Structure formats: structure tokens, C-alpha cells
Amino acid sequence: MKLSQFKFKLPAEQVALYPHYFEREYTDKDGKKETFRITRQDESRLMVLHKKSGTIDLFQKDENGNPIEGKYIEFRNIVEYFDEGDTFIFNDTKVFPARLYGTKEKTDAKIEVFLLRELNQEMRLWDVLVEPARKIRIGNKLFFDESGSMVAEVIDNTTSRGRTLRFLYDCPHEEFKKELYALGEAPLPRYIIDNREETHATKEDLENFQCIFAKNEGAVTAPATGLHFSRELLKRMEIKGINNAFITLHCGLGSFNDIEVEDLTKHKMDSEQMVINAEACKIVNDTKRNGKKVCAVGTSVVKATETAVGTDGMLKEFDGWTNKFIFPPYDFGLSNTMVTNFYHPYSTLLMETAAFGGYELVMEAYDLAVKHGYMFGCFGDSLLILND
């Protein structure tokens, strides 16, 4: 397929800059009114696409099965589409506070440093991106706190914006990581940071940009669809007898890179580290053998499981890297159900969704999402794709 086939007009006001929330007004004993915001990502909207019938549901239904106009399906209603014995596959990667702000020695120029991954624990070497890159050369030193105790030296240029830093901080590794992360903030995507009134992420962002089941540190962006799952929703799923399987794929920035070729076969994805263990394989494969639904939660899970699925359609253990790029047409080997967020035009995440749900039907769903005011992006609304 061609890049131009994934163009659509997305109004700026439909790009979610904050998690889904509602506001409540409170009146204190003195009669003073205050408004406070409550974040409830499991109450965002959920659209449901039925692949085989070619139908798309936006509204909840009455007792006779008729849509109730204006009463949109909410994400927490997702449990109604699954039964005992079905399995959800979650990505349990944990986001770390990857965005730091420092100053360059001598000039005091402000520099943004985005941590990608630790290269060498003993030598304190990190792969990073810097902005503005033109000011940062090999040998430069960067300072990250007022005391001057957290200092890094640039020892290599890796790409136009990429650098290798060596942090000059003499202490046990765990203490170093704690001090480094204390200087960082939530690595919200640039389209969020650049369009908010605040110029930096907040402490609340670090909590809101983390799945509640996050466990294995290594991601520099959240597996966004997993953000919608609250403890209450997971408990409802447990009570219904729905299984959870956890895999790990450390989400990188590759999904935000612009595609610069019209022919999608020529686009190369960045590699991301992933692990699928024996326990996850058993839960998923038993579910498949029993003819039940296997739901991939988010595009990262689809990428990981399609990397590790065998020719027999069963999930295999995996410990390594993947640069898999999924776009239509593609024959999926594992999951028969998927839930994902709505994403930007030309996005590789949209392309993967279109491959799973069918190009024409997914683009129709996106058209409906725009017309009905659904929110897009990491904090946006979601699309459930069912194989019925």
C-alpha cells in the first residue's frame, strides 16, 4: 500500500492533550465554589468494529438491542464483549522519566536530553537524543542540576540528533539511577508537550502515562491502549473469568517517526526489545486451543506476538529485538481480537490497525470517529476490533 492512502483530516481540537477526565464542582462551608478534575481513562469512548459483518457500533444498546443515540459505548463496557475463558494480552513495559533538561558548559545553553536506553551500566553510558543537536559535539559537558553533581560528557555522535553520553557520577548504580530519574519527567510525545499551555510534563503526567500493571522498566513511551484499564475494570474481568497474559515490549520512539517514502515496503522501523515468557505462551495457547478469543491490547502487543508466533499459530517464547512493520495486506497468525487507540494520519499505528481490521472498514471507522468528535492519540479514545 501507499503512504497517501492513510491521509485524513484530523481537527486539532480532537487530539487529546490530557487523559480522559470529568470535572466536579465543590462548594465549601463558606460558600466558595471550586472545580476539580477527576481522571477516568476507562470512561473514554470505545468504538466497536465487527470484521465479518462489516458493521461498526458507536452507541450503547437498549434491552431490545437498538442503539441509544447519544449514549456512546465507554471503554469500561469492553468486558461485555468477552466471556469466561477469553484472554487479554497486555504489554507490561514500564515507562521511565526519560526527558531531562540540562545546560551546556560555558555557554549555559538550554539543552533537552531524551534518554533512550542504558548502554553500559558500569560506565554509565546512555544512548540519547539531544535538542538542539547542532550545539552538542563530542567532548561537550552537560549539567543537569544546580549543584553540578549530575554531569554528562558527550563521547559519540550516533545520528543527526543521537549522542552517547557518559554520566560522571560516582556512586552505586541504583543510587545513580534514582538521582537521574529524579531529574527527569514523563516522556510525553512532542505533539502533546508542544500544544499544552504548560511547557513541561507534570508529576501527574508520570502517573497518568503509566499502565497500572507496568512492571518491567524500559519504555520511553507508554503502550497507550493499556492506559485505559483501571483496577476496577481488571477486577470485573477477573470476576467474569477472563484471563490476563503479560508480555514485554519496550516501546520506543519509532512509531512517532515520519514516514518519508510513498511505498510502505521501503520504510524501516526502529528495533524494540521484547520478551515473551513460557507462562504467557501457555495462557494464550490454551485459549486458542479452546477456541476462545485472544485479544491483543494495543499495537505493541500485536507487533510482539506476530514476531513470536509460530507457523502452527501458537505463541513461542522470545527474548530479543523486533523491527516488524505491519501494514495491509497482512495475514495475522495469533490474535483474533484487538483493541487500540485512534491515531494520527500517516501513522504506522493506524497502518497496523488497518491491517488487522481491514483497510476500508478501519478508514470508515476513522471517518466516523472524526465526525462524532472522538479523541485521538495516546490519551485518546479506542477501537475494539472483533472477528464476527
Side-chain angles (χ1 to χ4, degrees), residues 236-247:
R236 288 176 57 210
M237 292 167 59
E238 179 187 342
I239 292 171
K240 197 168 184 178
I242 298 170
N243 304 308
N244 296 334
F246 294 93
I247 61 96

Side-chain angles (χ1 to χ4, degrees), residues 196-213:
R196 282 185 176 184
E197 291 184 5
E198 316 97 81
T199 57
H200 292 282
T202 65
K203 290 182 179 180
E204 289 75 21
D205 286 320
L206 197 55
E207 179 180 349
N208 292 333
F209 203 52
Q210 192 82 271
C211 299
I212 60 170
F213 44 78

Side-chain angles (χ1 to χ4, degrees), residues 182-291:
L183 297 170
E185 63 181 45
L188 296 177
R190 285 252 61 106
Y191 73 83
I192 291 180
I193 287 293
D194 291 345
N195 290 287
R196 282 185 176 184
E197 291 184 5
E198 316 97 81
T199 57
H200 292 282
T202 65
K203 290 182 179 180
E204 289 75 21
D205 286 320
L206 197 55
E207 179 180 349
N208 292 333
F209 203 52
Q210 192 82 271
C211 299
I212 60 170
F213 44 78
K215 180 181 179 183
N216 297 308
E217 181 184 284
V220 294
T221 187
T225 309
L227 297 174
H228 295 280
F229 288 84
S230 62
R231 288 178 174 79
E232 293 80 7
L233 178 54
L234 290 177
K235 189 64 179 178
R236 288 176 57 210
M237 292 167 59
E238 179 187 342
I239 292 171
K240 197 168 184 178
I242 298 170
N243 304 308
N244 296 334
F246 294 93
I247 61 96
T248 304
L249 184 141
H250 295 313
C251 304
L253 298 180
S255 297
F256 299 108
N257 292 342
D258 292 335
I259 298 180
E260 298 177 346
V261 291
E262 175 69 2
D263 181 356
L264 297 181
T265 62
K266 296 180 180 178
H267 177 67
K268 304 299 181 185
M269 293 288 289
D270 292 348
S271 293
E272 295 168 310
Q273 190 174 14
M274 56 171 278
V275 177
I276 297 178
N277 61 29
E279 181 182 1
C281 291
K282 185 179 187 313
I283 294 170
V284 171
N285 293 337
D286 285 349
T287 304
K288 289 203 71 172
R289 292 188 187 100
N290 293 330

